[in-house]
Amino acid sequence: FKQKTAYEIPLRLVVSEMCIRDRSEIVLDCTDNFETRKVINAYCLNEKKILISGSSQGWKGQFFALDFRNENSPCYECFFEDLKGEDLSCRESSIFSPLVGIIGSFMASELIKKLISIGELKSEIIEIDLKQNKFRRLNLRKNENCLLCSKVKK
């Protein structure tokens, strides 16, 4: 019997096993690759959980919160459809360290607001470019042609 390392265990199995024991309503996603984000998104969508996600690369980052208890909520794949070949992990790309703190602060703020029931989650993504000192807010809509949303259990 050979002990498997975390890298040898299929990602979907790890997320499924983790989530079977998970009784939380909110999932924070701080992962550094698209494949993992897509698996977490599918789990949250199917289980009707809230997903708060943040990412960064170089001087740019983004964060969003999606409430899958609302059937009109878009999912991650509604606005990031085909990302093959674009995936760089934190090891492969440089990240401006203060940016990670800002993204994490936004994520923590959304989590706290949800836990104490103030405000409502909006389907939007906030993009941050610290090199240009720009913040941009974009409204997100459900993609009627999203392959994942069409498979979700009702």
Side-chain angles (χ1 to χ4, degrees), residues 11 15 18 26-44 50-56 62-66 68 76-77 79-80 100 103-104 106-108 111:
L11 177 62
V15 171
M18 171 188 72
I26 303 170
V27 174
L28 293 177
D29 175 16
C30 310
T31 57
D32 73 344
N33 67 76
F34 295 127
E35 183 62 28
T36 305
R37 287 186 208 129
K38 288 169 78 172
V39 171
I40 292 169
N41 172 68
Y43 167 75
C44 291
I50 295 169
L51 172 60
I52 300 173
S53 183
S55 61
S56 56
Q62 62 191 15
F63 101 97
F64 58 86
L66 303 171
F68 294 122
Y76 185 79
E77 291 192 45
F79 49 96
F80 290 116
V100 177
I103 299 291
F106 270 109
M107 292 173 69
L111 174 64

Side-chain angles (χ1 to χ4, degrees), residues 32 55-61 88-100 131:
D32 73 344
S55 61
S56 56
Q57 187 175 7
W59 291 75
K60 296 179 181 179
L88 290 176
S89 70
C90 293
R91 288 185 198 166
E92 299 167 320
S93 66
S94 60
I95 297 174
F96 183 56
S97 299
L99 175 63
V100 177
K131 197 170 189 181

